[in-house]
Structures are given as C-alpha cells and as structure tokens.
Amino acid sequence: MNGTHKPVHLAVYDTLADWETGHATAHLARAGYTVRTVAPTTAPVTSIGGLRVQPDLALADLRPEDSSLLVLPGADLWDTGDDLAPFARTARAFLAAGVPVAAICGATAGLAREGLLDDRRHTSAVSFYLAATGYAGGERYVEADAVTDRGLITAGPTEPVAFAREILGLLGVYEGEVLDAWYRLFHDSDPEAYAVLEKAGAA
C-alpha cells in the first residue's frame, strides 16, 4: 500500500459497466493511490464487456477505516434483483464513518433503494429512472453531469469523465484551474487544457 494514502476500493461484480470508472481509477493510480477491487466473494467476476477480474478482497472483509473511497460502478445486476444490495449497505456504513462513496449509473438506483439519496443532492441517468425505485429523494435530483453532496458523488452512465472529475476533486488530486483543465482535456479534447496540465506537472 502507498504510504501516503489509504487505498481506493473499486467494487466489481458480474455485468459491471467497464467504461464508467476507468478515467477515475487510472488517474488515482497515477496520483499514488492503490486501487483494490472488492467483490461479493473472492471468486472472479466478469464485466459487461467480458473482462474477467480477480477481486482483491471480499466485501465482508472491507472496512471503512481502511479506505479512502468506495467506488460503485453500474451493472445490470443493480436492476435485476437484490444481489448487489450488500454494496449499498456498505456505502451507508462508509458515509456514516465519514469515508466518501462514488456511485455511477445503476449504482445510484441501489443507493436510492437504500435511502441514501433521500436527503442529498444527487443525479443519475434520468430522474424517472430513480423515481422507479420508489425513493423519497426526487426533489433533490439535479440535472447535472455529476453531483457531490456530503461525501457522496453521483453521476449517470454517459458521464465517466465528470464522475472522475468529482472523485479527483474530492480527494484533492487536482484542484481549481488544474481540475477544470483535466476535465476539458478528457471531455472536450481541448488542446489549451493540456498546456495548463503540463505547466502544473499534471500532464
């Protein structure tokens, strides 16, 4: 483990959406964070794109005090039953302990079912997707690419770069002008943004 930071824990499970967390995990690793994968058990899982992942640890062995952040990607399983509900309960334990959580796509619906979006500003794919969960937080839904509120980041499936921006900002990897330039480079292919990052030693 990196001596400066506690690891970031990336949840992995069958049907996980490969594209949603790559920007975040890659740049966290470049910034010195160890990224560890956590799954229902230590048995291999297969992503929606067919990637086979050997988890580092089982969910039952994950403790908030050992982590900098829990990242919950989307997956078909979030919407087909309660298989992933234990990850939403773990998110509740993380937030109660003051450790941040980042959820994207279907994971936002899992957190809605757990009641974690009832009193926080949040976003997702579309408002009626979350409304279908029967949650009580509809008035706090925000039409935005990604939202951070009291340690919880949410984003929809088409916003992996904004999702990463919120994560990198929350953990202090990049800030201010540099964070904005990072987003403009990877979201908009803005060549001027690269110059800002290069000057800051972040390119």
XYZ file of all heavy atoms in Angstrom, residues 59 62 64 70 72 78 85-103 107 110-111 114 116 120 151-152:
241
model
N -16.317 -8.474 -0.022
C -16.995 -7.337 0.589
C -17.051 -7.457 2.111
O -16.908 -6.456 2.823
C -18.416 -7.224 0.023
C -19.236 -6.032 0.494
C -18.574 -4.711 0.105
C -20.651 -6.114 -0.069
N -14.177 -5.753 3.904
C -13.909 -4.332 3.674
C -14.387 -3.502 4.854
O -15.525 -3.612 5.284
C -14.621 -3.874 2.393
C -14.496 -2.386 2.051
C -13.056 -1.989 1.811
C -15.370 -2.062 0.840
N -14.538 0.584 6.395
C -14.375 1.990 6.016
C -13.051 2.589 6.484
O -12.435 3.392 5.754
C -15.562 2.684 6.697
C -16.593 1.619 6.824
C -15.826 0.351 7.080
N -14.941 4.475 -1.631
C -15.583 3.320 -2.247
C -16.223 3.772 -3.544
O -17.039 4.696 -3.552
C -16.638 2.727 -1.312
C -17.485 1.580 -1.876
C -16.619 0.376 -2.226
C -18.599 1.202 -0.903
N -18.580 2.686 -6.730
C -19.599 1.718 -7.134
C -19.987 1.957 -8.587
O -20.707 2.910 -8.899
C -20.839 1.849 -6.250
C -20.653 1.624 -4.751
C -21.941 1.959 -4.007
C -20.239 0.186 -4.474
N -27.760 -4.356 -10.708
C -28.405 -3.385 -9.822
C -29.911 -3.341 -10.047
O -30.675 -2.967 -9.142
C -27.830 -1.987 -10.027
C -26.503 -1.732 -9.395
C -25.313 -1.552 -10.044
C -26.212 -1.607 -7.991
N -24.303 -1.329 -9.136
C -24.826 -1.359 -7.863
C -26.983 -1.695 -6.834
C -24.195 -1.189 -6.632
C -26.363 -1.524 -5.604
C -24.990 -1.270 -5.513
N -27.419 -5.412 -3.224
C -27.847 -4.622 -2.062
C -26.789 -4.558 -0.957
O -26.663 -3.516 -0.291
C -29.162 -5.178 -1.509
N -25.991 -5.620 -0.727
C -24.940 -5.505 0.290
C -23.941 -4.377 0.013
O -23.379 -3.801 0.954
C -24.263 -6.874 0.263
C -25.339 -7.804 -0.203
C -26.105 -7.009 -1.224
N -23.719 -4.041 -1.256
C -22.812 -2.931 -1.569
C -23.443 -1.597 -1.179
O -22.746 -0.682 -0.725
C -22.448 -2.952 -3.061
C -21.467 -4.022 -3.416
C -21.902 -5.272 -3.822
C -20.102 -3.797 -3.337
C -21.001 -6.272 -4.146
C -19.182 -4.787 -3.659
C -19.636 -6.035 -4.059
N -24.756 -1.467 -1.341
C -25.438 -0.247 -0.907
C -25.395 -0.121 0.608
O -25.203 0.984 1.147
C -26.880 -0.248 -1.414
N -25.544 -1.237 1.299
C -25.450 -1.188 2.765
C -24.036 -0.819 3.202
O -23.843 -0.094 4.188
C -25.873 -2.540 3.354
C -27.371 -2.814 3.204
C -27.826 -3.962 4.068
N -27.291 -5.249 3.637
C -27.901 -6.043 2.755
N -29.056 -5.674 2.188
N -27.371 -7.203 2.430
N -23.049 -1.306 2.466
C -21.657 -0.931 2.758
C -21.445 0.557 2.515
O -20.745 1.231 3.279
C -20.686 -1.763 1.918
O -20.846 -3.145 2.255
C -19.241 -1.349 2.156
N -22.061 1.089 1.468
C -21.976 2.532 1.206
C -22.539 3.320 2.378
O -21.977 4.349 2.770
C -22.726 2.877 -0.079
N -23.626 2.842 2.954
C -24.191 3.502 4.135
C -23.179 3.524 5.279
O -22.991 4.546 5.946
C -25.468 2.791 4.580
C -26.069 3.375 5.853
C -27.336 2.669 6.272
N -28.437 2.938 5.358
C -29.156 4.062 5.356
N -28.863 5.027 6.231
N -30.145 4.234 4.512
N -22.496 2.399 5.499
C -21.501 2.316 6.576
C -20.334 3.257 6.306
O -19.820 3.905 7.228
C -21.011 0.880 6.724
N -19.906 3.359 5.041
C -18.818 4.271 4.680
C -19.210 5.713 4.984
O -18.462 6.457 5.627
C -18.472 4.124 3.187
C -17.351 3.173 2.913
C -17.454 1.841 3.258
C -16.188 3.595 2.292
C -16.426 0.943 2.996
C -15.148 2.715 2.018
C -15.266 1.387 2.379
N -20.376 6.129 4.514
C -20.802 7.506 4.716
C -20.979 7.818 6.205
O -20.623 8.907 6.657
C -22.098 7.765 3.950
C -21.954 7.729 2.423
C -23.324 7.724 1.757
C -21.108 8.897 1.921
N -21.483 6.857 6.958
C -21.645 7.059 8.403
C -20.304 7.234 9.094
O -20.198 7.934 10.109
C -22.400 5.886 9.013
N -19.266 6.624 8.512
C -17.919 6.715 9.079
C -17.136 7.905 8.534
O -15.968 8.101 8.887
C -17.159 5.418 8.806
N -17.763 8.683 7.653
C -17.091 9.845 7.088
C -16.155 9.531 5.946
O -15.294 10.344 5.599
N -16.319 8.354 5.334
C -15.492 7.956 4.193
C -16.331 8.094 2.928
O -17.453 7.576 2.874
C -14.985 6.511 4.341
C -14.095 6.138 3.168
C -14.237 6.345 5.656
N -15.843 8.798 1.908
C -16.689 9.089 0.754
C -17.010 7.867 -0.106
O -16.314 6.858 -0.089
C -15.865 10.110 -0.039
C -14.465 9.952 0.417
C -14.538 9.473 1.835
N -18.102 8.022 -0.864
C -18.596 6.997 -1.776
C -18.885 7.674 -3.112
O -19.397 8.804 -3.148
C -19.886 6.345 -1.234
C -20.501 5.392 -2.264
C -19.609 5.617 0.081
N -18.576 6.992 -4.209
C -18.870 7.490 -5.550
C -19.665 6.428 -6.296
O -19.200 5.292 -6.434
C -17.582 7.827 -6.298
N -20.858 6.793 -6.761
C -21.744 5.845 -7.433
C -22.151 6.392 -8.790
O -22.506 7.564 -8.930
C -22.986 5.586 -6.579
N -25.678 1.979 -9.936
C -25.361 2.050 -8.506
C -26.131 3.165 -7.822
O -26.439 3.077 -6.634
C -23.858 2.235 -8.296
N -29.279 1.702 -6.664
C -29.058 0.914 -5.463
C -28.995 1.782 -4.227
O -29.553 1.430 -3.176
N -28.339 2.932 -4.340
C -28.267 3.845 -3.196
C -29.615 4.492 -2.923
O -29.951 4.762 -1.768
C -27.197 4.906 -3.442
C -25.762 4.403 -3.595
C -24.799 5.576 -3.543
C -25.393 3.352 -2.570
N -31.588 2.190 -0.909
C -31.053 2.133 0.450
C -31.400 3.386 1.257
O -31.143 3.449 2.454
C -29.532 1.944 0.384
C -28.801 1.830 1.707
C -29.175 0.591 2.523
O -29.714 -0.391 1.941
O -28.927 0.590 3.733
N -30.154 6.425 0.689
C -29.010 7.323 0.829
C -29.130 8.593 -0.011
O -28.346 9.527 0.173
C -27.718 6.575 0.470
C -27.353 5.439 1.426
C -26.148 4.671 0.911
C -27.081 5.981 2.824
N -29.850 13.997 0.146
C -28.650 14.551 -0.502
C -28.989 14.966 -1.926
O -29.757 14.286 -2.619
C -27.519 13.505 -0.565
C -26.804 13.239 0.739
C -25.710 12.190 0.507
N -24.840 12.027 1.654
C -25.101 11.232 2.695
N -26.240 10.536 2.721
N -24.244 11.135 3.684
N -19.963 14.060 0.832
C -19.177 12.838 0.716
C -19.718 11.817 -0.255
O -19.128 10.739 -0.407
N -20.813 12.116 -0.940
C -21.391 11.177 -1.901
C -21.402 11.795 -3.290
O -21.997 12.847 -3.511
C -22.808 10.782 -1.496
C -23.520 9.825 -2.449
C -22.766 8.509 -2.579
C -24.957 9.577 -1.991
